[in-house]
Amino acid sequence: MRQLVIDYVLEGHQRGYNFTSSTQGFHDDVLKSIWRTAMPKGQGWGAYVGARSLKAFALEDSRLALSEVTVTDRRDESGRGGIRQAIVSIMQPGEYQEVLIARLQAYPVSIQTQIDHRPSLGDRARLADRAFNRKQKNGQVICTADWSPDSWLCVEALTVKLALSPGVFLRARGAFIPFTSLALDYHGESWLVVLPTDRLTDKTVKPVHLG
């Protein structure tokens, strides 16, 4: 497994977001795919300092990637907040499931207890319904929860649990479920995506509440 880091550079001639780790050995097409996909969508991240988002996606060469994105307290040259850092782990499909299982098992006992009997039967039915809703492009499953820094770790853990349980979606996606545990906009996002409730709009199609 290899890791790439995308971070905001404040000094030098290449200011802005850049790969700040070595990209040696990666094909240009793979790097472009990671660059386009690693960060969750949406604007206004300055209101979520300290938040973390996990994002899983597939690469063109059959490998899988898990991006861990942190909203930092840094500001850019204009004083704007919401600067994010992404640490992207690239792995073979066999490694991916082991990494997710280890991550799920590493959450605090209090979080494990909260998600032990979730999703409920009602949630499972709603998730499956969204997965097969032909009115939604690609059957995207949009979930939501009330945002708070303290509660979102549970939402993240539940998202990881769902990603490890393709049967919840009646195997609509097969074994691999692309997901984003925190985004501010669902357009162009993962097949399974979670948004804070206050980021929903009237056009959002029947989100499943995870709070």
Side-chain angles (χ1 to χ4, degrees):
M1 181 171 65
R2 285 193 59 182
Q3 289 187 327
L4 291 172
V5 178
I6 300 175
D7 207 348
Y8 197 92
V9 178
L10 288 167
E11 300 178 352
H13 66 283
Q14 288 187 320
R15 296 185 180 185
Y17 283 106
N18 285 281
F19 284 109
T20 57
S21 59
S22 173
T23 58
Q24 186 175 1
F26 285 96
H27 193 277
D28 285 346
D29 288 344
V30 172
L31 291 175
K32 289 177 181 177
S33 177
I34 293 170
W35 182 263
R36 289 192 305 266
T37 315
M39 295 285 191
K41 308 294 184 185
Q43 298 181 345
W45 289 98
Y48 298 84
V49 171
R52 179 175 68 182
S53 177
L54 298 181
K55 184 167 184 176
F57 54 98
L59 300 174
E60 287 80 354
D61 60 3
S62 79
R63 286 183 294 177
L64 302 176
L66 182 66
S67 178
E68 183 171 337
V69 180
T70 304
V71 185
T72 75
D73 60 0
R74 291 177 291 160
R75 295 184 176 272
D76 65 13
E77 303 89 336
S78 302
R80 292 173 296 188
I83 289 178
R84 294 171 290 167
Q85 180 195 66
I87 300 176
V88 187
S89 300
I90 296 94
M91 60 201 87
Q92 299 296 332
E95 296 177 282
Y96 171 79
Q97 185 155 346
E98 294 177 1
V99 168
L100 273 199
I101 290 172
R103 181 176 287 272
L104 186 61
Q105 293 173 341
Y107 287 107
V109 174
S110 59
I111 299 295
Q112 302 275 2
T113 301
Q114 290 182 64
I115 69 170
D116 187 36
H117 298 292
R118 300 178 66 190
S120 66
L121 290 176
D123 287 338
R124 286 173 179 268
R126 284 185 286 272
L127 289 164
D129 177 68
R130 303 307 183 272
F132 286 91
N133 188 334
R134 294 180 180 179
K135 294 181 180 179
Q136 290 181 248
K137 186 178 180 181
N138 298 324
Q140 188 181 31
V141 179
I142 303 168
C143 299
T144 183
D146 296 335
W147 163 259
S148 79
D150 295 330
S151 67
W152 208 264
L153 186 63
C154 182
V155 174
E156 177 189 292
L158 182 56
T159 307
V160 172
K161 183 178 179 180
L162 289 172
L164 285 166
S165 308
V168 172
F169 306 102
L170 303 180
R171 300 193 178 276
R173 288 285 314 191
F176 174 66
I177 296 175
F179 71 88
T180 304
S181 68
L182 172 62
L184 303 186
D185 189 349
Y186 64 89
H187 293 94
E189 257 300 344
S190 302
W191 185 77
L192 172 64
V193 57
V194 190
L195 274 66
T197 304
D198 60 5
R199 291 285 171 162
L200 301 178
T201 69
D202 293 338
K203 296 181 179 180
T204 308
V205 183
K206 294 183 179 180
V208 178
H209 191 70
L210 295 180

